[in-house]
Every structure is written in C-alpha cells, then in structure tokens.
Amino acid sequence: MQDAVSAAHPVSLEGWGGRVDLPEDASTRRWHQWVRALPVDAAPGVALLGFACDEGVRRNHGRVGAAEGPAALRRMLSNLPVLDEAPLYDAGTIACTDGDLEAAQARYAQALAGLLEAGHLPVGLGGGHEIAYASYLGLAQFLGTRRPRVAIVNLDAHFDLRRQAQASSGTPFLQAIEHARANGLPLEYWVYGISAASNTRALFETADALGVHYVRDDELGLLALPQRLTELQAKLAGVDAVYLTLDIDALPQAVAPGVSAPAARGVSLEVAEPLLDVIAASGKLRLLDVAELCPRLDRDDATARVAARLIHRVTHAAWRARGG
C-alpha cells in the first residue's frame, strides 16, 4: 500500500527551506532540515499530504484560492523548530485541476489509507473543506471491516451538513455520516465553534436529527473553558479513534483573515489550543487536516502562520501521546 502512495504522486521538497542556525545539530533543527520525501518502507512518523483543491469551495459559492493552501502551509512550517525525534515526511500533493472533485477525493483517500496502513500520523494540508470527506473515506478504507468507535472532531463555524445536488465544501460531514451508517461504522460527529449567524435553521435541525454534538462559538469563552475541557475529555473516553479537522475560518477574522469565509466572531486561540491539546494528548488521534486557508486573501501570511502553529502544536503533542 505504501508503495502505491509513493508512486502515485512524486514528491518534491522544493517548497521547503529557511533559516539554518549554528551549530547545526539536533537542538537547532527546523522542519525544513528534518523533513524527507516519503520513502518506501519508511519508519512510522508524521506524514504531510497536500490536497490542492478548491472545487468544493467553488461549488459552494465561496471565495476560491484554497488550492494554494498546501504550498503556503509548507512555507510556514519550514522554519518551525523540531521538538522531538518523530520522523517527518512529505508525502506529496493530490491536486484537482479538472473540476472532478470526486476523483480527486478518491485519490486522496487511497493515499491517506496507505499512510495509515504504514503506521504514520497523516496531516492533510488543504485545500477547501471538501478534504474532510476524502479524509474520512481514507480512514474508512484503512479500517475495512474493523468497527472501532470513531469521532470526527471539527473546529468550524459551519456544520457542513448541507444537502446539495453536488458534493462541495458544504457537504462533507453529511456524506461521512451517511457513508458510515450505510457501512456499519460507528461514527460520531462533534463540532466546536458553530456560529448561529452562519448556519440556517435547517442546518441546526439536520444536526439535531443526526445526533451531532455541537458547541456554539458564544459558548466557547475563557470562562466556560474548564467546563468544555471536562466535557471533551469525557466524550473522548467513549471513542477509540479521532479524526481532527481544523477549518481555519473558525478563528476570528483578525487572526485568520485569509480564509474562504471569514468569521465575524470566531473562537480565540486561547480557547482553541487547549481543546486541541486535550485531543492530541488522548492518544486516540489518528489523522489531522487543515482546511480553508486561502493564501491570495491572506495578509502577511498571518493565516498560514497560525495554521502552521496549530499543526506544529498538535502533531508534536500527538506524537508524544503515542509514546514517541
């Protein structure tokens, strides 16, 4: 399976580069010095997989440009420090250049399943939030006939549970829930950061009918954080595996201006990071992706920098929780 991953999309490290501190040793390494193109039969590590696609955003009438996200994220990750000895791989990028979103999602899912089979912690670099259905499909392919209790945890202002004629960035979690039910996979969907101003009444009704657990952005202030963390820890105890997906538009527009749909309120980093820390420390995180970064709308790479910070934080904590 990993051979197929490596052969499907040749990897270039051309986008990696940055500062080199002296003396060059383990204590001064940055990600651009540590990352390797994913080799065949690589030891398990953190594996970055790009999804250069915004066809789902276009179909959802959003601001396109998210297809440029993987390259921007790699640039911002380059100078971040290496905090542990986890192998770091670049597994390349799956691109959607012909408008065929479904085929691109299938290719991404196959590559992701191969990474999971090889024991890696995959980190998806989006791309619009249509990456989420592709990530879910990859996890489902990897699980096969196994039936662990899986939770999709989404940091997002939007439910993305729309019923539309075509799949888009607004449909991935409804698609995942319906696929899981059709295939007997126990799946829960939890969303943190839901905006009452960004979701119709029909979407709230759909979420309630499907048993979605959601917490609104105005319920995620600092005063409420201890209660939210306790609730999250209790919910994590009831599942076996977690797929974490970060829609950067869940953060306030002042922090994340370069997104497909900026948030008028959002969830502050002071709240978001502790929630992510609890998930990463659970030892149950199996994959992570970041969606909706739109570099052409970013200011001074501010959004790409904060997205890279979250990837850096979560991957190191998750690797430590694995015993790495």
Side-chain angles (χ1 to χ4, degrees):
M1 180 73 79
Q2 190 172 348
D3 291 0
V5 173
S6 301
H9 43 285
V11 178
S12 169
L13 297 182
E14 183 178 350
W16 293 93
R19 178 179 298 139
V20 175
D21 294 348
L22 299 176
E24 290 189 54
D25 59 27
S27 68
T28 63
R29 280 196 299 250
R30 299 175 184 272
W31 274 32
H32 73 89
Q33 296 168 283
W34 188 235
V35 68
R36 299 169 57 202
L38 181 68
V40 175
D41 298 326
V46 175
L48 308 174
L49 180 63
F51 190 55
C53 177
D54 54 19
E55 173 62 19
V57 175
R58 187 193 66 78
R59 293 182 185 183
N60 204 33
H61 307 292
R63 305 192 298 176
V64 297
E68 302 158 11
L73 286 168
R74 286 182 172 98
R75 288 195 302 273
M76 292 304 107
L77 287 167
S78 287
N79 269 323
L80 294 178
V82 175
L83 300 181
D84 52 46
E85 295 301 310
L88 178 64
Y89 306 113
D90 191 330
T93 295
I94 305 296
C96 179
T97 58
D98 57 2
D100 192 343
L101 171 59
E102 293 76 11
Q105 287 175 318
R107 293 195 301 274
Y108 184 91
Q110 181 180 15
L112 181 67
L115 295 175
L116 289 166
E117 187 67 37
H120 300 300
L121 173 63
V123 179
L125 308 178
H129 218 167
E130 58 266 33
I131 192 177
Y133 186 54
S135 290
Y136 160 78
L137 282 179
L139 177 61
Q141 287 179 26
F142 163 68
L143 292 174
T145 58
R146 288 169 287 184
R147 293 292 178 263
R149 298 163 298 170
V150 175
I152 298 176
V153 186
N154 182 20
L155 181 68
D156 202 335
H158 307 92
F159 282 116
D160 292 340
L161 291 168
R162 288 193 179 95
R163 294 191 181 276
Q164 295 177 324
Q166 277 188 310
S168 76
S169 62
T171 65
F173 302 108
L174 180 61
Q175 292 177 273
I177 290 169
E178 290 181 340
H179 182 281
R181 290 185 175 182
N183 289 276
L185 176 62
L187 179 69
E188 298 184 28
Y189 177 41
W190 314 339
V191 198
Y192 291 81
I194 286 295
S195 168
S198 301
N199 296 271
T200 63
R201 185 173 62 188
L203 286 168
F204 277 96
E205 291 171 353
T206 298
D208 291 336
L210 292 172
V212 174
H213 171 72
Y214 57 90
V215 183
R216 298 192 313 268
D217 54 7
D218 56 9
E219 298 174 313
L220 284 168
L222 280 172
L223 291 178
L225 181 59
Q227 179 182 352
R228 299 296 170 236
L229 294 176
T230 299
E231 292 169 352
L232 178 57
Q233 287 171 326
K235 291 187 72 62
L236 287 168
V239 299
D240 302 306
V242 174
Y243 156 36
L244 174 62
T245 181
L246 307 179
D247 188 326
I248 298 301
D249 73 17
L251 301 175
Q253 184 173 5
V255 176
V259 294
S260 303
R265 186 186 194 280
V267 179
S268 71
L269 282 173
E270 290 83 359
V271 172
E273 288 183 335
L275 290 169
L276 301 181
D277 290 346
V278 166
I279 295 168
S282 71
K284 298 180 178 183
L285 183 63
R286 295 295 173 262
L287 65 153
L288 159 72
D289 59 41
V290 172
E292 300 291 338
L293 169 64
C294 188
R296 67 179 66 174
L297 300 173
D298 211 359
R299 295 195 301 265
D300 298 323
D301 294 317
T303 313
R305 291 179 195 279
V306 75
R309 171 188 170 92
L310 295 178
I311 292 170
H312 184 255
R313 185 183 186 103
V314 172
T315 54
H316 282 298
W319 192 259
R320 287 196 297 270
R322 281 190 173 196

